[in-house]
Amino acid sequence: MSVEANESRGPVRRVTAAEVAQGAGVSRSAVSRAFTPGSYLDADKRTRILKVAEQLGYRPNRLAAGLQGRGRSNLVAVLVGQLANHFDSDFQAILLEGLAAMGKWPLVILAAPEMIEEDILGVLGFPLDALILRGGSVGAPVVDYCSKLGIPLVVSGRVMDLPGVDSVCGDNIGGAEAAVGALIARGRRQIGYLGGPADLFSDAERRAGFHSAIAQAGLLPAATCSADYSFEGGYAAVAGLLGQAPALDGLFCGNDAMAMGAMAALREIHGRAVPEDISVVGFDDISIACWPGIALSTVRNDARATVAEILSLLASRLAEPQRPGRVVRIPAPFIARNSH
Amino acid sequence: MSVEANESRGPVRRVTAAEVAQGAGVSRSAVSRAFTPGSYLDADKRTRILKVAEQLGYRPNRLAAGLQGRGRSNLVAVLVGQLANHFDSDFQAILLEGLAAMGKWPLVILAAPEMIEEDILGVLGFPLDALILRGGSVGAPVVDYCSKLGIPLVVSGRVMDLPGVDSVCGDNIGGAEAAVGALIARGRRQIGYLGGPADLFSDAERRAGFHSAIAQAGLLPAATCSADYSFEGGYAAVAGLLGQAPALDGLFCGNDAMAMGAMAALREIHGRAVPEDISVVGFDDISIACWPGIALSTVRNDARATVAEILSLLASRLAEPQRPGRVVRIPAPFIARNSH
DNA sequence: GGTCTATGTGAACACGTGTGCAGATTTTGC
DNA sequence: GCAAAATCTGCACACGTGTTCACATAGACC
């Protein structure tokens, strides 16, 4: 039987509960009960069943079990952006850990730029416990289908103010204001903003926070530009910023990688000492930021707190599907190190 | 009906094919056919069905479909290590992309240190197309169950020479030899090795390559020690290495993060100029290695080539389940930058 | 016009599970 | 010892799909 199955084409057929039942001389129900905590089953019979199951290599088929009654699949789709973004890879690890602790299985979908909507909709064929949106961008059809399919949608890193959609987002504005405040407290007056891609939610809020803090202090922005949130983007952008404001003495960057690139360019190409001649501040507090030699002053985008909120919102949504959507903001404190 | 379902407790019930059939005035078979490419179905009827399906928010349930006949779930479990390891997060992105291109859905399991075997076995309840082992460690029960369940097992980053198991691994020995060769070609004669955790496969092979190249050149190892493959570990290990060999002039590190930590410590604490006083070489060629200001000489652990082999082996295994296990080695060339 | 091929159709089946239910047995409490 | 409660058991059902099969219809060819 087993030998025969292994020689066939297509998926190898798994051992079924019926085969275990035959081997142990019990009913198939008894096999099911042996794998269902809290079921009534004679202890000796249970031992016999588990032994045969292990010999035959039987495990209940989660697909079949998930189909039945009011069970949950426990599958959670997570749409992530480019993991080359260091904040996102740190974030994902914490999220995966949290989901595992909840007994959820994460289906991770990488939102590549060329990915079309139909590819994303494809995952909705699984009866997901939730869709967590961390990266990429989704349009109305995905939101609509989630609603119709009863799949909870939790958004991270931006706010999607729609009925039944939950969002968790760092306080970008407050964090940016704190960062610029620290530059001003250092006596910096020619302060620039090196931003991320202009179409991103995070950039819009961090840029707004920059402008608000500058205005609050009665200053004008010395220089602004956009790059792609990468080290290389930050490195290359410094020339343009210095062209706009040769006397630039403070730079707030929309994320840490760009801040590191900018620091490198300032030191290596433009002969500026950081922080003596010019202060540089980043955003996110990625794991590299605290490395000696980098010691970047930055704003903490608290991945742990964000994940905790996501999971809390998810649990709450599963318990109460009709609950109104919530928006949770995570404080984004300034972290002082040596770059400013 | 839909309103009623949305008010119930537990999972919200999805729209079924039967409901679409009723709404479109056709049989349930017709609905199934509308979603099965190549099936015979009248075009007008098909249009009507797809319209009703979209209105009701119907998508075929992948769990139910996967249960049926010889279909595949297309689920692939990927066991990953700590993503704080930058090579691993780069690698994962490439792997996810490749799996998506194959039409596979990745179930990503983070192999946390405290994870017990039963947690890993849990994922085998899904009728997986494959289990890809990238991180963590698994014992005999997982390998045994994969075999019995007919789940293909592909290992990456180490060699698991077992029947039916495929492995893809960089040429750690050859890469280490090339790195040490480059140090020797630079005239370095007091050469040390800063290794990773001693129980890891990668460390054992890189260490062996170090010793073999040193012996080949008629030298003795000047200093060796082990750290935890992190920047901080490398940073802290330098004192011990210099204690063993105060005249150390070349250092081969088991991975890039440790090499970066070592460089920082050499420059900041020990007053050594890199590469003028001492050459430092890493392993893996993570994305940060080429950043200006770091410019690390290293050995390329080719994630793209590795993923390509993994996917190729997987496709081959699915086509031919009884094929003998294969071991594929990926060349690991030396990448010369400015640290040596 | 008759035969063969292609297209179309719905009923019934199978996939592998957990559960409800009726009946049987054992245990507990008075 | 009796009644009630707890435990145990297998049968049959439902879950939501894709496929097979027998039958029906339309089109092409001689």
Side-chain angles (χ1 to χ4, degrees):
Chain A
M1 178 189 311
S2 172
V3 170
E4 176 190 332
N6 282 342
E7 290 179 344
S8 68
R9 275 333 232 352
V12 178
R13 203 182 52 80
R14 289 160 76 100
V15 173
T16 62
E19 286 163 281
V20 176
Q22 190 173 30
V26 298
S27 72
R28 190 185 64 68
S29 276
V31 174
S32 183
R33 287 202 170 89
F35 286 90
T36 306
S39 287
Y40 291 133
L41 183 68
D42 178 78
D44 288 343
K45 188 178 282 190
R46 178 185 169 85
T47 300
R48 194 158 76 244
I49 289 166
L50 293 183
K51 184 177 169 190
V52 173
E54 182 163 3
Q55 288 172 341
L56 295 183
Y58 170 77
R59 299 197 74 87
N61 183 328
R62 284 187 192 273
L63 260 62
L67 189 52
Q68 195 279 136
R70 314 211 63 119
R72 291 195 194 277
S73 71
N74 286 312
L75 289 165
V76 172
V78 183
L79 198 64
V80 298
Q82 295 298 326
L83 291 179
N85 175 336
H86 294 279
F87 179 77
D88 275 346
S89 58
D90 292 345
F91 179 91
Q92 193 197 314
I94 296 164
L95 180 60
L96 293 187
E97 221 174 313
L99 287 172
M102 262 179 100
K104 304 300 179 190
W105 301 103
L107 267 178
V108 181
I109 313 298
L110 188 71
E114 65 277 1
M115 184 175 250
I116 61 171
E117 194 127 69
E118 193 54 40
D119 291 332
I120 302 175
L121 286 175
V123 79
L124 301 183
F126 290 104
L128 303 170
D129 283 5
L131 171 62
I132 298 176
L133 254 193
R134 170 65 209 175
S137 85
V138 295
V142 171
V143 178
D144 192 42
Y145 260 109
C146 282
S147 172
K148 284 174 178 166
L149 291 164
I151 296 178
L153 182 54
V154 185
V155 180
S156 163
R158 86 201 86 167
V159 173
M160 205 179 265
D161 201 358
L162 295 171
V165 177
D166 295 316
S167 302
V168 186
C169 188
D171 178 14
N172 291 306
I173 293 175
E177 287 169 344
V180 176
L183 292 176
I184 290 165
R186 265 291 154 90
R188 301 314 190 184
R189 293 296 179 269
Q190 298 284 325
I191 301 173
Y193 175 64
L194 170 50
D199 55 325
L200 289 189
F201 182 89
S202 55
D203 180 67
E205 290 203 331
R206 291 168 195 180
R207 186 180 296 267
F210 167 78
H211 283 288
S212 125
I214 288 286
Q216 187 80 354
L219 301 175
L220 290 173
T224 64
C225 75
S226 293
D228 67 352
Y229 270 156
S230 72
F231 181 100
E232 294 80 13
Y235 196 91
V238 170
L241 288 164
L242 291 179
Q244 288 182 51
L248 196 68
D249 61 4
L251 183 62
F252 169 54
C253 303
N255 82 341
D256 288 348
M258 286 197 299
M260 291 174 198
M263 282 202 294
L266 286 166
R267 286 168 173 156
E268 290 164 27
I269 299 179
H270 302 282
R272 299 294 183 92
V274 178
E276 293 86 352
D277 297 337
I278 178 169
S279 301
V280 178
V281 174
F283 203 113
D284 282 337
D285 196 21
I286 61 176
S287 54
I288 314 179
C290 64
W291 285 7
I294 296 180
L296 181 65
S297 302
T298 183
V299 177
R300 171 157 300 152
N301 190 355
D302 194 333
R304 271 195 195 279
T306 303
V307 168
E309 279 299 332
I310 289 171
L311 299 181
S312 172
L313 286 170
L314 173 53
S316 162
R317 175 66 65 195
L318 292 176
E320 210 182 330
Q322 297 306 308
R323 176 177 55 69
R326 283 193 201 134
V327 176
V328 179
R329 288 284 183 170
I330 308 291
F334 180 68
I335 308 294
R337 291 196 184 99
N338 299 341
S339 65
H340 81 298
Chain B
M1 179 189 316
S2 172
V3 170
E4 175 190 331
N6 282 344
E7 289 181 344
S8 67
R9 277 321 226 10
V12 178
R13 204 183 52 81
R14 287 159 77 104
V15 172
T16 61
E19 285 162 283
V20 175
Q22 190 174 31
V26 299
S27 71
R28 192 188 61 66
S29 277
V31 175
S32 184
R33 287 200 172 91
F35 286 89
T36 305
S39 289
Y40 291 133
L41 183 67
D42 179 77
D44 288 343
K45 188 177 279 189
R46 177 186 171 84
T47 300
R48 195 157 77 244
I49 290 167
L50 293 183
K51 184 176 169 189
V52 173
E54 181 162 2
Q55 287 171 343
L56 296 181
Y58 171 76
R59 297 195 76 87
N61 183 326
R62 285 189 192 272
L63 260 61
L67 189 53
Q68 196 276 140
R70 314 205 67 115
R72 293 195 193 276
S73 71
N74 287 310
L75 289 166
V76 172
V78 183
L79 197 65
V80 300
Q82 295 297 326
L83 292 179
N85 175 334
H86 292 279
F87 179 78
D88 275 348
S89 57
D90 292 345
F91 178 91
Q92 192 197 316
I94 297 165
L95 181 59
L96 293 187
E97 222 173 312
L99 287 172
M102 263 179 98
K104 304 300 179 189
W105 303 103
L107 267 177
V108 181
I109 313 299
L110 189 71
E114 67 276 1
M115 184 175 252
I116 61 172
E117 194 128 70
E118 193 54 41
D119 292 333
I120 301 176
L121 285 175
V123 79
L124 301 184
F126 290 104
L128 302 171
D129 283 6
L131 171 61
I132 297 176
L133 256 191
R134 170 65 207 175
S137 84
V138 294
V142 172
V143 179
D144 192 44
Y145 260 110
C146 283
S147 173
K148 282 172 180 168
L149 291 165
I151 296 178
L153 182 53
V154 185
V155 179
S156 164
R158 88 201 83 169
V159 172
M160 205 180 269
D161 201 356
L162 296 171
V165 178
D166 295 316
S167 302
V168 186
C169 189
D171 178 14
N172 291 307
I173 294 175
E177 287 170 345
V180 177
L183 292 176
I184 291 165
R186 263 295 153 89
R188 302 314 192 184
R189 294 295 178 269
Q190 297 284 324
I191 301 175
Y193 175 64
L194 170 50
D199 56 325
L200 289 189
F201 181 88
S202 55
D203 181 65
E205 290 204 329
R206 291 169 196 180
R207 187 181 296 267
F210 167 77
H211 284 291
S212 123
I214 289 288
Q216 187 81 351
L219 300 176
L220 290 174
T224 65
C225 75
S226 293
D228 67 351
Y229 271 158
S230 72
F231 180 101
E232 294 79 16
Y235 195 91
V238 171
L241 289 165
L242 290 179
Q244 289 183 50
L248 195 66
D249 61 4
L251 183 62
F252 168 54
C253 304
N255 81 343
D256 287 350
M258 286 195 301
M260 291 174 199
M263 282 202 294
L266 286 166
R267 286 168 173 155
E268 290 163 29
I269 299 178
H270 302 284
R272 299 293 183 93
V274 180
E276 293 87 353
D277 297 338
I278 179 169
S279 302
V280 179
V281 174
F283 204 113
D284 282 340
D285 195 21
I286 61 177
S287 54
I288 316 178
C290 65
W291 285 7
I294 295 178
L296 182 64
S297 299
T298 182
V299 176
R300 170 158 300 154
N301 190 355
D302 194 333
R304 274 195 193 278
T306 303
V307 169
E309 280 298 334
I310 289 170
L311 300 181
S312 171
L313 286 170
L314 173 54
S316 162
R317 174 67 62 197
L318 292 177
E320 211 181 331
Q322 296 307 307
R323 174 177 57 71
R326 284 193 201 135
V327 177
V328 179
R329 288 285 183 168
I330 308 289
F334 180 69
I335 307 293
R337 290 197 185 96
N338 299 341
S339 66
H340 81 300

